[in-house]
């Protein structure tokens, strides 16, 4: 009886995670599509050259400030504590006082760093992009100084977003990045017409303000109140605990930004447009991260934190393993379909205006290298959050630090002969090693049979993906005879046709293998079409 009750709890947790992940993924798709529109607008207006190199390089320091203090660090430390407070019968006011204290500390800290960044921008940019010529360096400094305003709004918005996630209000939380991208697009399309290059930077600020405003409106729905003057933040033990938990998490959460800083540093010494080409390729492959890796990790984190807090290790492991298998089920084939159709994808997304054929070739070749590690990049957010749910922020930090040291060493060794491709190769290898170490240490921390199921499922997914790659490749080549790449309709036809063949073949092979994740998809489709009674009838027939 107790065992059945635990299975029911684990099953309901998994279903709620899938539903929340679906919401996050849906709006993640919209946000990523807007991101694609944003990049297409920028590529068409400026091409891959000095202007966009300066723009993307200017992004790095403000983004690092935000990532270092806020993104993963705040979520890892804030959500478990806030969730614990609101779970108490009379803990709502305490939770509001705690969140207000964290908001005060975070915004003040980010504001101080932003001012420092503005003042010393020339010094930092010179270190970050030593290969830029003087005029390109000056443009980067100007853009960066303006962009340092954005982390202030985004950090405040992130705290409010943590409140929404803790209450499992994923809808508005997931919509905020859409408004951020809308602001950037407005800056690129309209602001630049009137104030020139710095219009790009003011578009970023506008997007950050929209991101913040929508969260302010949303937290009212969970009766959140700003209680700034009830207690000084430094006197609140939970605020102090949050800061203590954030410190090691800061560097591991900023691992991706540190990696992008390395990209900027080395790419600045290469041909003009190298920073832009890598950024465009990285943005394309990050669609899969926004569609799969991040939504599942975000949706699972509150549940994992709760299960570990109440000491239900079995449920914790079950939820973590099931979510990991789902991420692998979707991300592995998608990454390989992206690899096979990388040229078609880049031509559709960026093939306009000033973005010439040479830019296209470099971008899709870099994209192909990045796609190889896309499955690892997709599972890393979940694996890291498995440690954070256990309030272990040190292990992911050490792993991320070792990975980034390896990343830098590989780039130094390879860059002379392989140029921009060396950066992409090092990035991919680092991502795979980082994910592998996280999985190995997490497995050691919690040893359970579910991990063996995960490894078995992973092998089935790899075999199915191999079949998918072969069929997608042949479909692409066959369609190439009738749908030439020199026409937009030909590129789109190859992309849709070959991609459909790949997706259908993957579903078929995983169905033959009896992969549980396929069965989950099948049941959901049946429920949508015929209702739950059809699924119940099937299960009764199987039982007989």
């Amino acid at each position: 009886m107790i065992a059945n009750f635990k299975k029911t709890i684990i099953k309901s947790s998994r279903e709620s995670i899938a539903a929340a992940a679906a919401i996050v993924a849906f709006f993640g798709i919209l946000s990523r599509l807007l991101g694609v529109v944003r990049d297409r607008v920028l590529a068409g207006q400026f091409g891959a050259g000095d202007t966009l190199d300066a723009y993307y390089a200017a992004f790095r320091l403000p983004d690092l400030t935000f990532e270092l203090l806020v993104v993963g660090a705040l979520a890892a430390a804030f959500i478990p504590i806030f969730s614990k407070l609101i779970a108490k019968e009379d803990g709502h006011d305490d939770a509001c006082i705690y969140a207000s204290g964290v908001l005060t500390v975070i915004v003040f800290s980010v504001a101080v760093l932003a001012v420092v960044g503005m003042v010393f921008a020339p010094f930092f940019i010179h270190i970050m992009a030593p290969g830029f010529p003087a005029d390109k360096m000056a443009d980067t400094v100007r853009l960066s100084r303006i962009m340092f305003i954005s982390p202030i709004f985004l950090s405040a918005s992130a705290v409010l977003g943590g409140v929404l996630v803790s209450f499992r209000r994923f809808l508005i939380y997931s919509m905020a990045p859409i408004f951020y991208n809308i602001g950037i697009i407005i800056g690129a399309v309209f602001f630049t017409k009137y104030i020139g290059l710095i219009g790009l930077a003011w578009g970023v600020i506008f997007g950050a303000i929209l991101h913040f405003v929508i969260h302010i409106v949303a937290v009212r729905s969970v009766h959140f109140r700003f209680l700034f003057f009830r207690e000084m933040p430094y006197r609140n033990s939970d605020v102090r605990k949050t800061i203590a938990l954030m410190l090691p998490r800061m560097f591991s959460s900023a691992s991706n930004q540190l990696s992008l800083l390395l990209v900027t540093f080395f790419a600045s010494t290469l041909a003009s447009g190298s920073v832009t080409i890598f950024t465009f390729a990285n943005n394309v492959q990050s669609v899969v991260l926004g569609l799969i890796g991040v939504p599942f990790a975000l949706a699972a984190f509150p549940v994992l934190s709760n299960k570990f807090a109440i000491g239900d290790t079995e449920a914790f492991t079950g939820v973590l393993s099931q979510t990991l298998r789902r991420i692998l089920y979707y991300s592995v084939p998608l990454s390989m379909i992206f690899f096979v159709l990388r040229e078609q994808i880049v031509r559709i997304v960026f093939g306009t205006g000033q973005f010439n054929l040479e830019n296209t070739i470099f971008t899709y070749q870099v994209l192909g290298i990045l796609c190889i590690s896309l499955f690892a990049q997709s599972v890393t957010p979940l694996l890291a959050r498995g440690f954070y749910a256990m309030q272990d922020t040190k292990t992911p930090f050490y792993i991320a630090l070792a990975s980034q040291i390896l990343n830098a060493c590989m780039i130094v060794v390879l860059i002379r002969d392989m140029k921009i491709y060396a950066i992409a190769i090092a990035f991919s290898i680092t991502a795979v090693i980082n994910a592998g170490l996280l999985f190995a240490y997490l497995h050691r921390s919690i040893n359970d049979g579910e991990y063996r199921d995960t490894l078995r499922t992973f092998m089935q997914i790899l075999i199915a993906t191999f079949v998918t790659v072969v069929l997608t490749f042949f479909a692409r080549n066959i369609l190439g005879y009738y749908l030439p790449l020199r026409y937009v309709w030909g590129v789109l036809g190859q992309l849709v046709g070959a991609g459909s063949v790949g997706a259908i073949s993957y579903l078929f092979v995983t169905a033959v293998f009896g992969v549980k994740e396929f069965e989950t998809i099948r049941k959901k489709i049946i429920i949508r079409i015929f209702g739950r009674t059809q699924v119940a009838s099937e299960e009764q027939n199987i039982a007989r």
Side-chain angles (χ1 to χ4, degrees), residues 33 114 127 156 187 211 225 237 267 371 424 450 466 511 524:
L33 289 176
I127 293 175
H211 194 287
R225 295 177 297 160
S237 60
C371 283
E450 291 249 17
F466 175 76
K524 285 183 178 180

Side-chain angles (χ1 to χ4, degrees), residues 216-233:
I216 282 218
V217 174
V219 293
R220 297 295 182 185
S221 67
V222 296
H223 307 292
F224 175 79
R225 295 177 297 160
F226 294 100
L227 301 176
F228 292 111
F229 304 108
R230 290 283 188 90
E231 186 179 26
M232 295 299 292

Side-chain angles (χ1 to χ4, degrees), residues 4 59 93 99 131 141 145 199 211 228 248-249 261 273 347 356 370 387 394 409 416 446 465 476 497 500 506:
N4 290 334
F59 246 119
D93 279 355
V141 170
R145 279 176 165 160
H211 194 287
F228 292 111
R249 174 64 178 116
L261 279 178
R347 283 177 178 267
N356 58 35
L370 296 180
F387 286 100
K394 293 182 180 179
C409 292
R416 175 176 294 181
I446 301 177
T465 300
R476 184 200 69 185
S500 298
Y506 178 74

Side-chain angles (χ1 to χ4, degrees), residues 48-224:
D50 288 342
T51 300
L52 288 188
D53 275 359
Y55 172 68
Y56 285 118
F59 246 119
R60 295 291 179 250
L61 290 177
D63 264 11
L64 178 62
T65 302
F66 178 59
E67 292 273 352
L68 196 62
L69 281 177
V70 180
V71 175
L74 180 63
F78 178 83
I79 291 176
I81 295 175
F82 189 84
S83 298
K84 186 176 180 180
L85 290 173
I86 60 175
K88 296 180 180 178
E89 188 173 345
D90 56 349
H92 189 81
D93 279 355
D94 289 339
C96 290
I97 292 170
Y98 162 68
S100 299
V102 172
L103 181 63
T104 302
V105 172
I106 292 296
V107 171
F108 177 77
S109 301
V110 171
V112 170
L113 286 178
V115 171
V116 172
M118 292 176 189
V119 173
F120 294 100
F123 172 74
F124 293 139
I125 297 297
H126 183 76
I127 293 175
M128 183 185 69
F132 282 179
D135 56 342
K136 193 172 178 179
M137 188 85 69
D139 285 340
T140 306
V141 170
R142 279 199 304 150
L143 292 171
S144 185
R145 279 176 165 160
I146 297 170
M147 289 182 188
F148 264 114
I149 300 172
S150 66
I152 300 173
F153 289 100
L154 291 176
S155 62
S157 187
V159 177
L160 301 180
V163 172
L164 293 174
V165 170
S166 298
F167 280 103
R168 301 188 188 182
R169 301 295 180 89
F170 294 102
L171 181 61
I172 300 298
Y173 176 85
S174 303
M175 290 174 63
I178 295 175
F179 288 88
Y180 181 59
N181 274 322
I182 288 173
I184 295 175
I185 292 171
I186 290 173
V189 175
F190 298 106
F191 292 179
T192 54
K193 290 182 179 180
Y194 301 101
I195 55 178
L197 179 62
I198 61 171
L200 294 174
W202 284 111
V204 173
I205 306 305
F206 184 49
I209 292 172
L210 292 178
H211 194 287
F212 172 62
V213 169
I214 191 173
H215 275 163
I216 282 218
V217 174
V219 293
R220 297 295 182 185
S221 67
V222 296
H223 307 292
F224 175 79

Side-chain angles (χ1 to χ4, degrees), residues 465-481:
T465 300
F466 175 76
V467 175
T468 299
V469 168
V470 172
L471 293 178
T472 304
F473 177 80
F474 280 114
R476 184 200 69 185
N477 288 350
I478 292 171
L479 289 171
Y481 286 108

Side-chain angles (χ1 to χ4, degrees), residues 195-429:
I195 55 178
L197 179 62
I198 61 171
L200 294 174
W202 284 111
V204 173
I205 306 305
F206 184 49
I209 292 172
L210 292 178
H211 194 287
F212 172 62
V213 169
I214 191 173
H215 275 163
I216 282 218
V217 174
V219 293
R220 297 295 182 185
S221 67
V222 296
H223 307 292
F224 175 79
R225 295 177 297 160
F226 294 100
L227 301 176
F228 292 111
F229 304 108
R230 290 283 188 90
E231 186 179 26
M232 295 299 292
Y234 66 87
R235 291 181 177 175
N236 188 298
S237 60
D238 287 323
V239 173
R240 294 198 302 269
K241 184 178 181 181
T242 299
I243 302 304
L245 287 171
M246 283 176 63
L247 291 175
R249 174 64 178 116
M250 283 179 183
F251 301 101
S252 53
S253 68
S255 175
N256 186 54
Q257 287 298 320
L258 292 173
S259 181
L260 293 177
L261 279 178
L262 287 174
V263 168
T264 304
F265 179 87
F266 288 105
S268 71
T269 65
L270 302 176
S272 174
S274 295
V275 174
T276 301
I277 285 169
F278 185 92
T279 302
F280 278 168
N282 188 48
N283 287 350
V284 169
Q285 62 123 28
S286 69
V287 170
V288 176
L289 299 181
L291 176 63
I292 299 168
V294 174
F296 274 105
L298 180 65
F301 187 46
V303 179
L304 292 172
S305 298
N306 176 263
K307 297 305 177 188
F308 187 80
I310 64 177
D312 193 346
T313 305
E314 181 181 348
F316 175 92
T317 307
V319 169
L320 181 65
S321 300
Q322 176 68 33
T323 308
L324 179 60
R325 288 196 292 270
R326 286 182 176 177
I327 293 174
L328 289 170
Y329 182 78
Y330 295 115
S331 65
V332 173
L334 266 179
S335 63
M336 290 299 98
I337 290 174
F338 267 49
F339 176 82
V340 175
L341 301 176
R342 59 194 182 279
E343 181 177 0
Q344 289 77 6
I345 292 171
V346 171
R347 283 177 178 267
I348 285 292
V349 175
F350 302 115
T352 183
Q354 300 298 315
F355 201 79
N356 58 35
L357 180 60
E358 184 181 14
N359 297 156
T360 300
I361 293 171
F362 277 121
T363 303
Y364 77 67
Q365 287 175 339
V366 171
L367 174 61
I369 298 170
L370 296 180
C371 283
I372 296 172
S373 67
L374 194 44
F375 79 95
Q377 297 176 58
S378 297
V379 300
T380 295
L382 175 70
L383 295 174
R385 280 170 172 79
F387 286 100
Y388 306 146
M390 297 186 293
Q391 298 190 11
D392 176 7
T393 55
K394 293 182 180 179
T395 301
F397 161 63
Y398 293 135
I399 291 174
L401 180 62
S403 298
Q404 291 311 316
I405 292 173
L406 177 63
N407 185 19
C409 292
M410 283 191 291
I411 294 174
V412 169
V413 171
L414 298 174
I415 194 168
R416 175 176 294 181
D417 297 323
M418 306 190 72
K419 308 300 181 185
I420 187 66
Y421 305 125
I423 299 174
I425 291 170
F427 186 94
S428 279
I429 293 175

